[in-house]
Amino acid sequence: QVQLVESGGGLVQPGGSLTLSCVASGSSASIFSMGWYRQAPGHEREMVATITRGGNSNYADSVKGRFTISRDTGKNTVYLQMNNLKPEDTAIYYCRMIILLTTYWGQGTQVTVSS
């Protein structure tokens, strides 16, 4: 059974930084795609950043230039470096991975940006 476990969320002041991590366990298959999504109260879940097995990344316009997605394929881990955080970045952040045509989600980690 594949499990994704996120870590690194928390409370940060505007302009601050956080790094999220997500590690997958329970599968030795190659991960096709890794990504981060977020959901704020009263809003739908939205894509933040994704990265393919080949290393191609894609970002939401709202985070371009501030967030960086990276991965360590040997550790089945994806990271999200978030800089210059804004109050509107406050949300639950979810890790998503596609393994053998199946989509898996983590349980989410709360990121709160507030002074």
Side-chain angles (χ1 to χ4, degrees):
Q1 181 71 16
V2 175
Q3 287 190 319
L4 307 184
V5 178
E6 300 114 332
S7 60
L11 173 65
V12 64
Q13 292 187 341
S17 298
L18 282 174
T19 300
L20 306 182
S21 300
C22 174
V23 59
S25 62
S27 174
S28 61
S30 178
I31 299 172
F32 176 74
S33 173
M34 300 177 170
W36 290 95
Y37 291 69
R38 67 186 181 187
Q39 187 167 17
H43 290 78
E44 294 186 352
R45 191 173 297 187
E46 63 176 359
M47 186 274 291
V48 176
T50 61
I51 186 166
T52 67
R53 184 170 53 199
N56 295 314
S57 58
N58 185 42
Y59 296 91
D61 288 343
S62 58
V63 307
K64 283 181 180 177
R66 300 188 297 122
F67 291 10
T68 302
I69 189 170
S70 62
R71 82 263 192 260
D72 185 332
T73 54
K75 295 181 179 180
N76 285 347
T77 302
V78 62
Y79 305 96
L80 186 67
Q81 173 67 43
M82 304 184 292
N83 297 325
N84 190 22
L85 282 159
K86 303 176 180 180
E88 52 264 40
D89 294 319
T90 295
I92 299 175
Y93 283 70
Y94 297 90
C95 170
R96 188 197 80 166
M97 295 191 188
I98 300 175
I99 305 171
L100 295 177
L101 302 181
T102 300
T103 299
Y104 298 92
W105 293 91
Q107 81 287 353
T109 185
Q110 177 71 45
V111 172
T112 302
V113 185
S114 175
S115 55

